[in-house]
């Protein structure tokens, strides 16, 4: 976190939660390693391909919630919770936020767009923690329905906070890899390359790990 903070624009204010339950809630709203299938059947000629640097790409290209936060719940803010529910179901824009919601799954939806850990896979009504972006996508493409908004962390605005961070380490990695090409001895296997080559390999790999941390 300290490395990423060093590279983001200091004019953009970022707050961190110190309360354990809030940290856990925020982590629960972001599910990593997911692949959403757009089409189950594709009849046209195609090739198998692998993507690289997906996490850094998402960090660089998209905006993330920043600024002051407002904590809202259904007991103290019932009208705001109802307003959130209505706006989400209507496809209207809402502030950057993270939410705990009860939702109804479209029974015609084959692929679950809002996964809930350790839940009944056959259940059509579930409760989970998600970012507002995921909820909007599930409502738009999966015809999901929000039944109740229970808790919200609402952010003041959003901004590109990882752009400089990703550019810095991506460029460093490219430089190291280019130097590796110049240092590579075609008469030797990779494991038998020079100490300089191996050092460069460690450095480029370190840049990759930092970007994906």
């Amino acid at each position: 976190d300290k490395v990423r903070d060093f590279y983001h624009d200091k004019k953009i204010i970022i707050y961190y939660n110190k309360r354990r339950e809030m940290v856990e809630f925020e982590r629960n709203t972001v599910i990593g390693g997911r692949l959403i299938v757009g089409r189950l059947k594709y009849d046209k000629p195609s090739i198998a391909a692998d993507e690289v640097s997906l996490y850094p790409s998402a960090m660089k290209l998209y905006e993330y919630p920043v600024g002051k936060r407002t904590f809202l719940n259904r007991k103290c803010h019932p009208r705001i919770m109802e307003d959130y529910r209505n706006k989400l179901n209507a496809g209207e824009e809402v502030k950057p936020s993270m939410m705990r919601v009860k939702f109804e799954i479209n029974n015609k939806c084959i692929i679950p767009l809002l996964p809930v850990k350790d839940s009944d896979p056959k259940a059509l009504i579930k409760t989970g923690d998600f970012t507002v972006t995921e909820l909007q996508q599930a409502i738009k493409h999966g015809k999901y329905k929000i039944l109740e908004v229970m808790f919200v962390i609402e952010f003041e605005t959003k901004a590109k906070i990882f752009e400089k961070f990703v550019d810095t380490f991506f460029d460093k990695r490219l430089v190291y890899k280019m130097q590796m090409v110049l240092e590579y001895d075609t008469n030797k296997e990779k494991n038998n390359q020079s100490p300089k080559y191996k050092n460069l390999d460690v450095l480029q790999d370190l840049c990759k790990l930092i970007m994906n941390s």
Side-chain angles (χ1 to χ4, degrees), residues 41-74:
K41 186 177 180 181
Y42 194 73
D43 296 326
K44 296 181 180 180
S46 58
I47 59 171
D50 188 22
E51 298 287 345
V52 297
S53 302
L54 287 179
Y55 280 118
S57 295
M59 291 168 68
K60 173 182 167 65
L61 296 174
Y62 295 100
E63 295 179 314
Y64 290 85
V66 295
K68 293 182 180 180
R69 298 162 299 174
T70 304
F71 298 85
L72 306 162
N73 62 62
R74 58 182 172 177

Short mmCIF file of all heavy atoms in Angstrom, two decimals, residues 41-74:
data_model
loop_
_atom_site.label_atom_id
_atom_site.label_comp_id
_atom_site.label_asym_id
_atom_site.label_seq_id
_atom_site.Cartn_x
_atom_site.Cartn_y
_atom_site.Cartn_z
N LYS A 41 -21.84 -20.34 -26.54
CA LYS A 41 -21.66 -21.03 -27.82
C LYS A 41 -21.20 -20.01 -28.86
O LYS A 41 -21.74 -18.91 -28.96
CB LYS A 41 -22.97 -21.68 -28.27
CG LYS A 41 -22.84 -22.52 -29.51
CD LYS A 41 -24.18 -23.19 -29.84
CE LYS A 41 -24.05 -24.05 -31.10
NZ LYS A 41 -25.33 -24.69 -31.47
N TYR A 42 -20.19 -20.41 -29.63
CA TYR A 42 -19.65 -19.51 -30.66
C TYR A 42 -19.31 -20.35 -31.88
O TYR A 42 -18.43 -21.21 -31.82
CB TYR A 42 -18.41 -18.79 -30.13
CG TYR A 42 -17.98 -17.62 -30.98
CD1 TYR A 42 -18.71 -16.44 -30.98
CD2 TYR A 42 -16.84 -17.69 -31.78
CE1 TYR A 42 -18.33 -15.36 -31.75
CE2 TYR A 42 -16.44 -16.61 -32.55
CZ TYR A 42 -17.19 -15.45 -32.53
OH TYR A 42 -16.81 -14.37 -33.30
N ASP A 43 -20.03 -20.15 -32.97
CA ASP A 43 -19.91 -21.02 -34.14
C ASP A 43 -18.83 -20.59 -35.13
O ASP A 43 -18.44 -21.36 -36.01
CB ASP A 43 -21.26 -21.10 -34.87
CG ASP A 43 -22.33 -21.76 -34.02
OD1 ASP A 43 -21.97 -22.66 -33.24
OD2 ASP A 43 -23.50 -21.37 -34.12
N LYS A 44 -18.35 -19.36 -35.03
CA LYS A 44 -17.38 -18.86 -35.99
C LYS A 44 -15.97 -19.35 -35.64
O LYS A 44 -15.69 -19.71 -34.49
CB LYS A 44 -17.41 -17.33 -36.02
CG LYS A 44 -18.75 -16.77 -36.52
CD LYS A 44 -18.70 -15.25 -36.55
CE LYS A 44 -20.03 -14.68 -37.04
NZ LYS A 44 -20.01 -13.20 -37.07
N PRO A 45 -15.06 -19.39 -36.62
CA PRO A 45 -13.67 -19.80 -36.35
C PRO A 45 -13.04 -18.93 -35.28
O PRO A 45 -13.22 -17.71 -35.27
CB PRO A 45 -12.97 -19.61 -37.71
CG PRO A 45 -14.07 -19.69 -38.71
CD PRO A 45 -15.28 -19.09 -38.05
N SER A 46 -12.31 -19.54 -34.37
CA SER A 46 -11.71 -18.79 -33.27
C SER A 46 -10.38 -19.44 -32.86
O SER A 46 -10.07 -20.56 -33.27
CB SER A 46 -12.65 -18.74 -32.07
OG SER A 46 -12.96 -20.05 -31.64
N ILE A 47 -9.61 -18.72 -32.09
CA ILE A 47 -8.32 -19.23 -31.60
C ILE A 47 -8.27 -19.06 -30.08
O ILE A 47 -8.92 -18.18 -29.52
CB ILE A 47 -7.13 -18.51 -32.24
CG1 ILE A 47 -7.19 -17.00 -31.94
CG2 ILE A 47 -7.10 -18.74 -33.74
CD1 ILE A 47 -5.95 -16.25 -32.35
N ALA A 48 -7.49 -19.92 -29.43
CA ALA A 48 -7.28 -19.81 -27.99
C ALA A 48 -6.20 -18.75 -27.74
O ALA A 48 -5.16 -18.76 -28.38
CB ALA A 48 -6.85 -21.15 -27.42
N ALA A 49 -6.47 -17.82 -26.84
CA ALA A 49 -5.51 -16.75 -26.56
C ALA A 49 -5.47 -16.49 -25.06
O ALA A 49 -6.43 -16.75 -24.34
CB ALA A 49 -5.91 -15.48 -27.30
N ASP A 50 -4.33 -16.00 -24.62
CA ASP A 50 -4.15 -15.67 -23.21
C ASP A 50 -3.84 -14.18 -23.09
O ASP A 50 -3.09 -13.63 -23.90
CB ASP A 50 -3.01 -16.51 -22.62
CG ASP A 50 -2.91 -16.34 -21.11
OD1 ASP A 50 -3.92 -15.94 -20.50
OD2 ASP A 50 -1.84 -16.60 -20.56
N GLU A 51 -4.41 -13.55 -22.10
CA GLU A 51 -4.16 -12.13 -21.88
C GLU A 51 -3.09 -11.96 -20.80
O GLU A 51 -2.96 -12.79 -19.90
CB GLU A 51 -5.45 -11.44 -21.42
CG GLU A 51 -6.58 -11.50 -22.43
CD GLU A 51 -6.35 -10.59 -23.62
OE1 GLU A 51 -5.47 -9.69 -23.53
OE2 GLU A 51 -7.04 -10.75 -24.63
N VAL A 52 -2.33 -10.89 -20.91
CA VAL A 52 -1.31 -10.60 -19.91
C VAL A 52 -1.60 -9.24 -19.28
O VAL A 52 -2.26 -8.39 -19.87
CB VAL A 52 0.11 -10.60 -20.52
CG1 VAL A 52 0.46 -11.98 -21.05
CG2 VAL A 52 0.23 -9.57 -21.64
N SER A 53 -1.12 -9.09 -18.06
CA SER A 53 -1.21 -7.81 -17.34
C SER A 53 -2.65 -7.31 -17.19
O SER A 53 -2.92 -6.11 -17.32
CB SER A 53 -0.37 -6.72 -18.02
OG SER A 53 0.98 -7.11 -18.11
N LEU A 54 -3.58 -8.21 -16.90
CA LEU A 54 -4.98 -7.81 -16.76
C LEU A 54 -5.21 -6.94 -15.52
O LEU A 54 -5.92 -5.94 -15.58
CB LEU A 54 -5.88 -9.04 -16.71
CG LEU A 54 -6.06 -9.79 -18.04
CD1 LEU A 54 -6.94 -11.01 -17.85
CD2 LEU A 54 -6.67 -8.87 -19.09
N TYR A 55 -4.61 -7.32 -14.39
CA TYR A 55 -4.77 -6.53 -13.18
C TYR A 55 -4.19 -5.12 -13.35
O TYR A 55 -4.87 -4.12 -13.08
CB TYR A 55 -4.14 -7.24 -11.98
CG TYR A 55 -5.00 -8.33 -11.39
CD1 TYR A 55 -4.56 -9.65 -11.37
CD2 TYR A 55 -6.25 -8.05 -10.85
CE1 TYR A 55 -5.35 -10.66 -10.84
CE2 TYR A 55 -7.05 -9.06 -10.32
CZ TYR A 55 -6.59 -10.36 -10.31
OH TYR A 55 -7.37 -11.36 -9.79
N PRO A 56 -2.94 -5.00 -13.80
CA PRO A 56 -2.40 -3.65 -14.02
C PRO A 56 -3.21 -2.84 -15.04
O PRO A 56 -3.36 -1.63 -14.89
CB PRO A 56 -0.97 -3.91 -14.52
CG PRO A 56 -0.62 -5.25 -13.98
CD PRO A 56 -1.90 -6.03 -14.01
N SER A 57 -3.72 -3.52 -16.07
CA SER A 57 -4.53 -2.81 -17.07
C SER A 57 -5.78 -2.23 -16.45
O SER A 57 -6.16 -1.08 -16.70
CB SER A 57 -4.90 -3.77 -18.21
OG SER A 57 -3.76 -4.19 -18.91
N ALA A 58 -6.46 -3.03 -15.62
CA ALA A 58 -7.67 -2.55 -14.95
C ALA A 58 -7.35 -1.41 -14.00
O ALA A 58 -8.11 -0.45 -13.87
CB ALA A 58 -8.34 -3.71 -14.20
N MET A 59 -6.20 -1.52 -13.32
CA MET A 59 -5.79 -0.47 -12.38
C MET A 59 -5.49 0.84 -13.12
O MET A 59 -5.83 1.92 -12.65
CB MET A 59 -4.56 -0.91 -11.60
CG MET A 59 -4.85 -2.05 -10.62
SD MET A 59 -3.34 -2.80 -9.97
CE MET A 59 -2.70 -1.46 -8.97
N LYS A 60 -4.86 0.74 -14.28
CA LYS A 60 -4.45 1.93 -15.03
C LYS A 60 -5.62 2.61 -15.75
O LYS A 60 -5.74 3.83 -15.77
CB LYS A 60 -3.38 1.55 -16.06
CG LYS A 60 -2.99 2.66 -17.01
CD LYS A 60 -1.96 2.19 -18.02
CE LYS A 60 -1.78 3.17 -19.17
NZ LYS A 60 -1.23 4.46 -18.72
N LEU A 61 -6.52 1.81 -16.33
CA LEU A 61 -7.53 2.34 -17.24
C LEU A 61 -8.79 2.86 -16.56
O LEU A 61 -9.49 3.70 -17.12
CB LEU A 61 -7.91 1.27 -18.27
CG LEU A 61 -6.79 0.81 -19.22
CD1 LEU A 61 -7.27 -0.34 -20.08
CD2 LEU A 61 -6.31 1.97 -20.08
N TYR A 62 -9.08 2.35 -15.35
CA TYR A 62 -10.36 2.68 -14.74
C TYR A 62 -10.21 3.58 -13.51
O TYR A 62 -9.15 3.66 -12.89
CB TYR A 62 -11.10 1.40 -14.35
CG TYR A 62 -11.48 0.58 -15.56
CD1 TYR A 62 -10.72 -0.52 -15.93
CD2 TYR A 62 -12.59 0.91 -16.33
CE1 TYR A 62 -11.05 -1.27 -17.05
CE2 TYR A 62 -12.92 0.16 -17.45
CZ TYR A 62 -12.15 -0.93 -17.80
OH TYR A 62 -12.47 -1.66 -18.91
N GLU A 63 -11.32 4.23 -13.17
CA GLU A 63 -11.36 5.10 -12.00
C GLU A 63 -11.81 4.29 -10.78
O GLU A 63 -12.58 3.34 -10.91
CB GLU A 63 -12.32 6.26 -12.23
CG GLU A 63 -11.87 7.21 -13.33
CD GLU A 63 -12.85 8.34 -13.55
OE1 GLU A 63 -14.06 8.06 -13.61
OE2 GLU A 63 -12.41 9.50 -13.66
N TYR A 64 -11.34 4.72 -9.60
CA TYR A 64 -11.66 4.02 -8.35
C TYR A 64 -12.18 5.01 -7.31
O TYR A 64 -11.85 6.20 -7.34
CB TYR A 64 -10.42 3.29 -7.84
CG TYR A 64 -10.04 2.12 -8.70
CD1 TYR A 64 -9.24 2.29 -9.83
CD2 TYR A 64 -10.53 0.85 -8.44
CE1 TYR A 64 -8.92 1.22 -10.66
CE2 TYR A 64 -10.22 -0.23 -9.26
CZ TYR A 64 -9.42 -0.03 -10.35
OH TYR A 64 -9.11 -1.09 -11.18
N PRO A 65 -13.01 4.53 -6.38
CA PRO A 65 -13.61 5.42 -5.37
C PRO A 65 -12.56 6.09 -4.49
O PRO A 65 -11.64 5.43 -4.01
CB PRO A 65 -14.48 4.46 -4.53
CG PRO A 65 -14.73 3.28 -5.42
CD PRO A 65 -13.49 3.14 -6.25
N VAL A 66 -12.70 7.39 -4.30
CA VAL A 66 -11.77 8.15 -3.46
C VAL A 66 -12.55 9.23 -2.71
O VAL A 66 -13.73 9.45 -2.94
CB VAL A 66 -10.65 8.82 -4.30
CG1 VAL A 66 -9.77 7.79 -4.97
CG2 VAL A 66 -11.25 9.75 -5.36
N GLY A 67 -11.84 9.93 -1.82
CA GLY A 67 -12.45 11.05 -1.11
C GLY A 67 -13.16 10.62 0.16
O GLY A 67 -13.05 9.48 0.61
N LYS A 68 -13.88 11.56 0.74
CA LYS A 68 -14.58 11.29 1.99
C LYS A 68 -15.66 10.23 1.80
O LYS A 68 -16.27 10.14 0.75
CB LYS A 68 -15.20 12.58 2.52
CG LYS A 68 -14.19 13.62 2.96
CD LYS A 68 -14.86 14.85 3.52
CE LYS A 68 -13.83 15.88 3.96
NZ LYS A 68 -14.48 17.09 4.51
N ARG A 69 -15.85 9.45 2.86
CA ARG A 69 -16.83 8.37 2.80
C ARG A 69 -17.98 8.64 3.76
O ARG A 69 -17.80 9.24 4.82
CB ARG A 69 -16.18 7.03 3.14
CG ARG A 69 -15.07 6.62 2.20
CD ARG A 69 -14.21 5.55 2.82
NE ARG A 69 -13.57 6.05 4.04
CZ ARG A 69 -12.85 5.29 4.85
NH1 ARG A 69 -12.69 4.02 4.61
NH2 ARG A 69 -12.28 5.80 5.93
N THR A 70 -19.15 8.16 3.36
CA THR A 70 -20.33 8.23 4.21
C THR A 70 -20.82 6.82 4.46
O THR A 70 -20.97 6.03 3.52
CB THR A 70 -21.46 9.06 3.54
OG1 THR A 70 -20.96 10.36 3.22
CG2 THR A 70 -22.64 9.19 4.47
N PHE A 71 -21.06 6.49 5.73
CA PHE A 71 -21.52 5.15 6.09
C PHE A 71 -23.03 5.19 6.34
O PHE A 71 -23.50 5.97 7.16
CB PHE A 71 -20.78 4.65 7.34
CG PHE A 71 -19.29 4.54 7.15
CD1 PHE A 71 -18.45 5.63 7.32
CD2 PHE A 71 -18.73 3.33 6.77
CE1 PHE A 71 -17.09 5.52 7.14
CE2 PHE A 71 -17.36 3.20 6.58
CZ PHE A 71 -16.54 4.30 6.76
N LEU A 72 -23.75 4.35 5.63
CA LEU A 72 -25.22 4.35 5.69
C LEU A 72 -25.73 2.95 5.98
O LEU A 72 -25.18 1.97 5.48
CB LEU A 72 -25.79 4.84 4.36
CG LEU A 72 -25.27 6.20 3.85
CD1 LEU A 72 -25.56 6.35 2.37
CD2 LEU A 72 -25.90 7.34 4.64
N ASN A 73 -26.81 2.86 6.75
CA ASN A 73 -27.42 1.55 7.00
C ASN A 73 -28.94 1.67 7.00
O ASN A 73 -29.49 2.77 7.09
CB ASN A 73 -26.92 0.95 8.32
CG ASN A 73 -27.28 1.78 9.53
OD1 ASN A 73 -28.44 2.00 9.83
ND2 ASN A 73 -26.26 2.28 10.24
N ARG A 74 -29.61 0.54 6.92
CA ARG A 74 -31.07 0.53 6.75
C ARG A 74 -31.81 0.99 8.00
O ARG A 74 -32.94 1.46 7.91
CB ARG A 74 -31.53 -0.87 6.35
CG ARG A 74 -31.16 -1.97 7.32
CD ARG A 74 -31.61 -3.32 6.82
NE ARG A 74 -31.09 -4.40 7.67
CZ ARG A 74 -31.37 -5.67 7.50
NH1 ARG A 74 -32.16 -6.03 6.52
NH2 ARG A 74 -30.86 -6.59 8.30
#
